[in-house]
Amino acid sequence: MQEIRFIPKAYTSSVEDGSFTWTSPSNIALVKYWGKKEHQIPENPSVSFTLDNCKTTTILSFSKKEKQDNFSFDVFLDGDKKDDFKPKIETFFKRIEVYLPFLKNYHFKIETSNTFPHSSGIASSASGMSALAMCLMSLEKLLIESDVAMSTDENTINDGFFIQKASFLARLGSGSACRSLEGDLVVWGKHHEIEGSSDLFGVKYPFEVHENFKNYRDTILLVDKGEKQVSSSVGHNLMYGHPFAQERFKQAHKNLSSLINVFKEGDLDTFIEIVESEALTLHAMMMTSMPYFILMKPNTLEIINKIWSFRQTTNSKVCFTLDAGANVHVLYPESESEQVCEFIKNELVAFCQKGQYINDKIGFGAKQL
Ligand code: DP6
């Protein structure tokens, strides 16, 4: 059981109070995670581009409390108290308590803000949970490294372990969050050709990546900013007993295998094929589950069709991917950014709610502020 590695020895140090601030990005999956087993173990491996502009910044302030009988915390979004965020964080704390046994020793103030609008339909769970996991790891590092009762060998947390455990914890908050910590391309889930890949945490994609993918662009078109019709947990559950589930999980392994060569050779045509097929498969799974959902909106389809005809007439390598919602992520190489931005402005913005979209590109993960 690899999880045991993440259970620390008892801390004896007494840090009274303090605070840490981390900023962490969202990510967009190319091969999708859809379906999980118990304890947030994915049914198939996934790979994502880390984003750069869509980020959450979290300040975690902590002060020691008298009684250690329960979790005690308050959550704020942009300065406003958000009690409706508490159940998700309470569940997160329960799941990770065994790995961070100090959680009941402190009262926490969690102050968070996103660079993207909260109700934009852009999921904040990946950036939010990864930023919180990094803050908690900073506190664990402080507790361990200030522990005089431990030997010097025992009381250091190296950077590799820090990130790995943060990713492990973030996964227990929200699966895709474990892919937001470090690296521009991140793999989560055991894949036989990717050494070091794990169901427990994300790892930096370890192989060669062609120049074509450097600074890859992602423009997120906000088609529908409403509340999600289906929460991701409900969505993942739909894969239990789904008639096509086993084939889908096999397909994800195969697509990730094919991407290894695509990344190496810079083969954008095959990249497009895999990425668009993954997006449509994700939605096909939702349309064919019981109960069934259609999360695309008419404008999602308008945009997809526009992208396809633009590609046909211009030979551009622009393509799209989707999350579990109606918004469209438009992906394109840096070398095409001028012409694709023009195309977006002229032909796609009309299909966005209030003409809203967000320009983003590949980023490199979380940062301490
Ligand atoms: C469609 O990570 O939000 O974005 O583990 O239940 O929090 P939970 O799910 P979540 O699921 C994301 C699903 C997806 C695909 C992906 O990001 O791989």
Side-chain angles (χ1 to χ4, degrees), residues 27 29 31-34 36 40 46 88 125 171 173-177 179 188 228 232-233 236 282 322-324:
N27 65 74
V31 171
K32 308 286 179 184
Y33 147 57
W34 196 245
K36 59 180 162 183
Q40 297 280 104
S46 55
K88 194 155 185 190
S125 62
R171 184 196 96 242
S174 176
S176 55
R179 296 187 312 234
W188 168 41
K228 277 197 189 173
S232 58
S233 290
H236 288 287
L282 169 70
L322 307 165
D323 266 338

Side-chain angles (χ1 to χ4, degrees), residues 1 7-8 37 40 45 58 99 127 142 190 232 257 263 265 272 278 294 316 332 340 351 369:
M1 286 293 274
I7 301 179
K37 303 176 203 163
Q40 297 280 104
T58 297
Y99 306 106
S127 52
L142 177 66
K190 188 85 201 125
S232 58
S257 288
F263 288 138
E265 302 295 332
I272 292 171
E278 275 287 321
I294 299 183
S316 159
Y332 46 100
V340 175
F351 300 108
L369 300 180

Side-chain angles (χ1 to χ4, degrees), residues 186-206:
V186 182
V187 176
W188 168 41
K190 188 85 201 125
H191 185 275
H192 74 289
E193 284 170 78
I194 304 179
E195 217 190 309
S197 60
S198 168
D199 286 345
L200 299 180
F201 43 79
V203 295
K204 273 204 232 180
Y205 177 75

Side-chain angles (χ1 to χ4, degrees), residues 165-177:
K165 182 164 174 183
S167 175
F168 172 86
L169 298 172
R171 184 196 96 242
L172 293 167
S174 176
S176 55

